[in-house]
Amino acid sequence: VSKYTRYAIIGTGNVGSALAVLFAHAGIDVSIANTRGPETIRPLADTLGRAVRPATVQEALKSDVIIMAIGFGAVAQFGSLLPDWHDKIVVDTSNAHWTPGWEQMVNGRPSAQYTAEQVPGARVVKSFNQLPANVLASRVDPAVGKRVVFVSSDSPDASQEIAALVTELGFSAVELGRTDEGGLLIQTPNALVLRQFIELPFR
Ligand SMILES: NC(=O)c1ccc[n+]([C@@H]2O[C@H](COP(=O)([O-])OP(=O)(O)OC[C@H]3O[C@@H](n4cnc5c(N)ncnc54)[C@H](OP(=O)(O)O)[C@@H]3O)[C@@H](O)[C@H]2O)c1
């Protein structure tokens, strides 16, 4: 993870808050925003220390890597927040499956490809969607191993970059390749969703 990369989390619900905890524990600076403004995030940030900085959505959007921790139904509106997403990596944590009308929205494509259409120019990486947020944030005894978090993207570079972030956050990152190949395994309700994997220590 480059110290020059700026990270943001947009969304402060279950997933956004869990990720904020993980960034704080790893000591990686991140700004975090929701629709209601930075002051609503201060109580959370105050419990997490200096790494987690409440921001407006517009401030958060200046980051290089934007973790989108919002409902799938809000992705189109999210996409309209910037006219041009070039040079951004958008991490898609959403699960389309529970959104009314999702099948018409994705129209047979991987949901991450729908997301990519909403943020034209961005490199989209699907990750952090396959486990409940409280499980994602819960500690695994290092003697037992490291929790696996899967990563998928149509951009090999972006996949690698987010796999490095996932590793820095304390996980075992497993890259699944393209969103229409290995990535389909982490699209709800497919095989790797709601299944916990642990990488065992090498002895
Ligand atoms: N819950 C889980 O355990 C879990 C696990 C894996 C994946 N997921 C997926 O992760 C996503 C988030 O789930 P969640 O449970 O964290 O949702 P949530 O608790 O409902 O939180 C959603 C957050 O998104 C923010 N938001 C919505 N639209 C926005 C917009 N246009 N711009 C900026 N912020 C916006 C909301 O802002 P306000 O606070 O201002 O309303 C809220 O903070 C969903 O797609 C879900 O399918 C959830």
Side-chain angles (χ1 to χ4, degrees), residues 37-54:
E39 62 287 353
T40 67
I41 312 171
R42 221 143 259 139
L44 169 71
D46 284 347
T47 66
L48 296 177
R50 293 216 325 239
V52 177
R53 296 179 312 254

Side-chain angles (χ1 to χ4, degrees), residues 78-164:
F78 173 88
S80 69
L81 292 172
L82 277 186
D84 179 2
W85 290 84
H86 283 92
D87 301 328
K88 306 284 185 196
I89 293 180
V90 171
V91 180
D92 180 4
T93 71
S94 71
N95 286 312
H97 192 71
W98 290 287
T99 299
W102 75 276
E103 280 168 305
Q104 290 88 324
M105 290 161 80
V106 302
N107 196 20
R109 297 164 296 171
S111 65
Q113 288 186 11
Y114 169 89
T115 297
E117 280 181 16
Q118 312 309 313
V119 288
R123 291 174 292 157
V124 171
V125 179
K126 191 160 191 68
S127 193
F128 301 118
N129 69 298
Q130 64 270 2
L131 289 172
N134 63 329
V135 173
L136 197 64
S138 66
R139 187 176 173 274
V140 176
D141 182 345
V144 173
K146 278 186 183 175
R147 190 184 303 292
V148 169
V149 165
F150 296 103
V151 176
S152 162
S153 179
D154 295 338
S155 160
D157 291 353
S159 176
Q160 207 174 47
E161 206 171 311
I162 297 308

Side-chain angles (χ1 to χ4, degrees), residues 10 12-15 34-36 70-71 77 93-95 129 131 133:
I10 296 191
T12 57
N14 301 296
V15 172
N34 63 17
T35 62
R36 291 165 294 128
I70 68 177
Q77 197 261 321
T93 71
S94 71
N95 286 312
N129 69 298
L131 289 172

